[in-house]
Amino acid sequence: MTTPLTKNGEEQAKKVAKELQQQKVDIIIASPFLRTQETAKPLAKALGIEIILDERVAEWNVGDLIGKPSHSPEAKHDAQRAYTELDYVRGGTGETHQQVRDRALDFITDISKKYPGKTIAFFSHNGFGKVLLSALRNDSYLKKNIKNCQIIPLYIDNNTGKELNLHRPTIDRLYIP
């Protein structure tokens, strides 16, 4: 998609870059959508890191509804069905919830193996993010929308591919010599 950031979006991108600079980011991954790349650009520039584009973090393909207003009754009904029915095809020719879930989990598994111990900032979209978070948290449907430039820290267990709950004490392995 070739939709650029608005002036407000540019300001949000600068703010998120400033916040993420403190996190010692090693890798930056973005969706191939222009606005997502533009959101990642201030952080990449500040850190001197190249942006890696990855199709797997692209927005949910809504098929025949691409380019149509997301607030229309048809689009709202389509979204409701898509989030609650795993095999419903968005816009008749797009992706199912299960397909987005599969590519989200494939992305997390792949980057966990490829970049162990690295801090990764990835820039994606609301639909993809909601499906990813619901999959990682074993929650069938994440009801809250993800806000523009919202930072959501994730700690992934490389063994399970699920989000770690840092509030619950866990021990991966205990060796007593």
Side-chain angles (χ1 to χ4, degrees):
M1 284 259 190
T2 58
T3 306
L5 285 179
T6 63
K7 289 290 182 202
N8 184 45
E10 290 171 6
E11 291 305 313
Q12 289 174 332
K14 289 175 188 172
K15 182 180 174 194
V16 82
K18 192 175 269 189
E19 289 180 44
L20 286 175
Q21 285 178 49
Q22 311 307 313
Q23 302 302 315
K24 298 184 177 25
V25 171
D26 300 301
I27 311 286
I28 299 173
I29 299 173
S31 155
F33 287 34
L34 176 63
R35 68 180 182 273
T36 315
Q37 294 173 56
E38 289 178 343
T39 304
K41 200 174 284 188
L43 179 63
K45 184 176 180 182
L47 299 177
I49 299 174
E50 293 291 319
I51 300 169
I52 299 168
L53 301 182
D54 194 319
E55 292 277 342
R56 293 173 298 179
V57 298
E59 181 58 292
W60 194 327
N61 180 343
V62 296
D64 294 338
L65 293 176
I66 290 174
K68 295 184 178 165
S70 60
H71 59 274
S72 71
E74 178 187 17
K76 285 183 178 182
H77 177 71
D78 181 79
Q80 181 63 38
R81 285 193 65 189
Y83 281 110
T84 57
E85 299 175 32
L86 290 179
D87 60 350
Y88 175 75
V89 179
R90 297 285 312 258
T93 60
E95 289 179 292
T96 66
H97 186 170
Q98 187 64 50
Q99 288 170 323
V100 177
R101 186 180 193 283
D102 290 347
R103 76 174 155 91
L105 291 175
D106 176 66
F107 169 73
I108 289 296
T109 300
D110 183 48
I111 64 169
S112 295
K113 289 177 183 171
K114 193 181 282 186
Y115 308 113
K118 300 290 185 188
T119 299
I120 302 164
F122 73 92
F123 294 77
S124 188
H125 308 271
N126 181 54
F128 174 85
K130 286 173 68 169
V131 173
L132 171 66
L133 289 174
S134 70
L136 290 174
R137 295 174 179 170
N138 285 322
D139 181 5
S140 62
Y141 173 56
L142 189 68
K143 292 173 180 65
K144 289 171 56 176
N145 280 326
I146 298 170
K147 297 177 183 151
N148 288 345
C149 287
Q150 181 179 353
I151 298 171
I152 302 172
L154 295 173
Y155 300 91
I156 305 299
D157 180 330
N158 289 337
N159 294 321
T160 66
K162 298 291 181 191
E163 184 178 23
L164 284 174
N165 181 348
L166 298 179
H167 299 288
R168 202 172 96 198
T170 59
I171 297 174
D172 290 327
R173 291 180 185 85
L174 180 62
Y175 298 101
I176 302 174

